[in-house]
Amino acid sequence: GVWQQLVDALIAQLPAVFDLGFADTIHANYQATSAFLKEMESVVLTDEQISMMAGAEGEVKGEVKEEVKEEVKEEVMRVRMMVRARLESHPATIALWKKWSLPVYFQLRFSEVTSLVDGSLAMVD
């Protein structure tokens, strides 16, 4: 499918995204990847499509019935949850998350913190 090809291209064409040199860069790239995945989840149904669905199903003399709006919202939430579950469990998504070497990131952050603490303790002595 498209998702597999997209992730394969991301991994192949942008390997620098996963570079482990600087903790701040790792964090920024990780957040960008996370935001991208969240965006992919929401692409399924836009707010405009949701409004159109509610209008088409519940229009009575130009007004949308409130109960139809609620039914549409519930259906949209159900669909989005289903999409999220499928996206998260997809082999391409799993491969994408495995590219992040979080233990290395945590080690970099730990080193930063211990350096700051050591420096502060040295000033006290």
Side-chain angles (χ1 to χ4, degrees):
V2 173
W3 182 238
Q4 183 70 53
Q5 292 174 354
L6 184 64
V7 171
D8 289 346
L10 174 68
I11 291 170
Q13 300 297 319
L14 299 171
V17 168
F18 307 101
D19 281 350
L20 300 171
F22 301 99
D24 289 341
T25 304
I26 296 169
H27 185 252
N29 290 343
Y30 186 88
Q31 283 187 310
T33 302
S34 185
F36 174 70
L37 286 171
K38 208 170 217 25
E39 219 24 64
M40 289 299 294
E41 293 169 12
S42 67
V43 166
V44 175
L45 293 172
T46 65
D47 291 337
E48 185 177 306
Q49 289 170 317
I50 294 166
S51 296
M52 287 173 49
M53 287 170 61
E57 293 181 15
E59 199 166 326
V60 178
K61 294 185 182 177
E63 295 181 15
V64 177
K65 292 181 186 177
E66 201 59 41
E67 62 270 9
V68 173
K69 282 185 184 179
E70 285 305 311
E71 288 175 19
V72 170
K73 283 182 187 178
E74 289 173 12
E75 180 63 15
V76 167
M77 290 304 293
R78 188 186 70 72
V79 169
R80 283 187 174 163
M81 287 173 61
M82 206 169 57
V83 167
R84 171 181 246 168
R86 286 190 66 196
L87 188 61
E88 287 176 353
S89 65
H90 193 282
T93 307
I94 293 167
L96 181 63
W97 287 125
K98 284 183 178 178
K99 292 295 290 179
W100 295 102
S101 198
L102 294 182
V104 173
Y105 168 75
F106 290 123
Q107 185 61 45
L108 288 170
R109 287 296 187 200
F110 183 78
S111 295
E112 288 176 1
V113 170
T114 55
S115 293
L116 290 172
V117 170
D118 288 345
S120 296
L121 291 173
M123 294 169 67
V124 173
D125 288 335

